[in-house]
Amino acid sequence: MAKRIFMATAAKKDYLKGLVPYRIKRYWAYIAATVVALVLPWIKVGDNHFFLLNFDHKQLHFMFVRFDMQELYIMPFLLMLLFLGIFALTAFAGRAWCGWACPQTIFRVLYRDFLETKLLGIRKNIKNKQKEPDWSKTENKVKEGIAILIWSALALVAAADFMWYFVPPEDFFKYLQNPAEHTVMIGFVLGVAAFLVADVVFIKESFCVYICPYSRVQSVLFDEDTLMAVYDPIRGGKIYEGHGEEKHKIVNKQKDVLAQNPDNECTACES
Ligand code: SF4
């Protein structure tokens, strides 16, 4: 039996050869989204930005075209297009936005997977993202303090980047030299940064479950043809039994899944 399990696992590895996992492709998407978000406010064509809603000069820039306040009636149409685009994406590709481009996901991956796990080793690995580190260890508490400090600096950059879509970088840095006259702008940046620290460090995935309005409407936008990344018991093997509150796990290790059928592909990662 052990030999059969080994052969089946080896065969799976052959079939996976040369395949870049979606987990890695998501990192590429995160880097691309971050670079675009950081670079876009700096790009100007004919003195106009790609997107800028500037209350200071009463202007809206969109696709490098400048509109003044009298033309602000186009804003609702832009918002409608944005929401229709997100709804269409959800109907076709399910939670693609959540998994591949949402800042909440990118920030949590950066904080939990890179800072807490890879850089500081508070978590042993990211196989089971739900498993909390051992907080009784002083070493882990000190490392968590360092992680919060690093993230606070990054949160300030993210908050400033957000602000650049309302106050362009050329004005932003000028205003920073005279903080007493721009307390609203500075207070806004500090407020957003403080929220990002609270969200990413303490609220974590509960933000998606209890706060995000988009997650509330997702399920009604799905139909039978929507692409969804969900567990497939036919491919992976049966790991749960029962329904609702009665539902319970019947296997915890990969060898138990393979014992059901050596072709089962579940790795019992619990993620
Ligand atoms: S549920 Fe909301 S906050 Fe969470 S990943 Fe999706 S869009 Fe982002």
Side-chain angles (χ1 to χ4, degrees):
M1 184 60 174
K3 197 174 168 196
R4 272 181 72 202
I5 289 173
F6 173 76
M7 283 169 64
T9 313
K12 265 175 230 156
K13 282 193 178 148
D14 277 348
Y15 119 77
L16 289 170
K17 244 181 223 163
L19 206 89
V20 180
Y22 280 104
R23 178 174 59 82
I24 303 296
K25 288 182 183 164
R26 287 206 313 164
Y27 293 147
W28 298 348
Y30 297 161
I31 293 169
T34 307
V35 169
V36 169
L38 284 170
V39 168
L40 212 53
W42 297 84
I43 299 176
K44 288 206 286 184
V45 175
D47 222 24
N48 297 329
H49 293 266
F50 178 80
F51 179 83
L52 174 72
L53 182 57
N54 192 331
F55 297 104
D56 206 7
H57 300 299
K58 298 188 177 58
Q59 286 172 357
L60 168 71
H61 297 197
F62 184 61
M63 307 268 262
F64 306 109
V65 176
R66 183 180 305 193
F67 301 88
D68 65 25
M69 276 295 148
Q70 276 73 35
E71 294 167 304
L72 207 61
Y73 59 82
I74 66 161
M75 261 315 272
F77 294 103
L78 289 183
L79 285 174
M80 273 188 255
L81 279 178
L82 177 76
F83 279 100
L84 284 175
I86 289 179
F87 291 165
L89 178 76
T90 314
F92 286 122
R95 301 193 70 206
W97 165 262
C98 294
W100 292 72
C102 175
Q104 169 77 12
T105 307
I106 298 176
F107 293 160
R108 279 294 294 156
V109 166
L110 187 61
Y111 185 76
R112 178 196 55 213
D113 300 355
F114 180 68
L115 288 180
E116 283 191 335
T117 311
K118 288 262 178 287
L119 197 68
L120 299 165
I122 305 173
R123 292 166 193 270
K124 285 200 195 76
N125 55 52
I126 52 165
K127 257 175 87 182
N128 183 352
K129 296 179 178 150
Q130 318 300 329
K131 204 172 167 190
E132 280 296 315
D134 183 356
W135 293 123
S136 62
K137 288 186 183 165
T138 314
E139 184 197 348
N140 280 352
K141 287 182 188 158
V142 173
K143 284 181 177 173
E144 184 67 359
I146 298 171
I148 293 174
L149 277 180
I150 299 173
W151 172 244
S152 301
L154 294 175
L156 270 176
V157 175
D161 181 40
F162 177 64
M163 191 47 128
W164 294 339
Y165 290 91
F166 301 92
V167 178
E170 60 270 21
D171 290 346
F172 181 85
F173 290 102
K174 230 190 292 165
Y175 295 167
L176 275 190
Q177 288 161 17
N178 197 357
E181 283 189 18
H182 299 98
T183 47
V184 172
M185 184 193 85
I186 290 169
F188 194 82
V189 171
L190 291 178
V192 172
F195 168 74
L196 288 179
V197 173
D199 171 31
V200 171
V201 178
F202 302 106
I203 303 176
K204 305 178 199 173
E205 278 67 41
S206 297
F207 184 88
C208 302
V209 180
Y210 299 109
I211 303 173
C212 176
Y214 175 50
S215 66
R216 303 273 79 77
V217 296
Q218 279 173 355
S219 52
V220 294
L221 295 167
F222 288 5
D223 64 20
E224 283 175 8
D225 298 317
T226 304
L227 283 174
M228 277 185 270
V230 289
Y231 184 70
D232 177 3
I234 296 171
R235 181 182 165 199
K238 193 173 177 184
I239 52 171
Y240 289 104
E241 220 162 51
H243 295 283
E245 288 183 5
E246 309 275 294
K247 196 170 179 174
H248 61 278
K249 228 169 163 194
I250 52 170
V251 290
N252 290 306
K253 298 208 170 103
Q254 188 178 17
K255 71 176 171 50
D256 299 332
V257 187
L258 291 172
Q260 288 174 7
N261 178 351
D263 290 331
N264 285 347
E265 295 187 30
C266 173
T267 59
C269 72
E270 295 192 9
S271 57

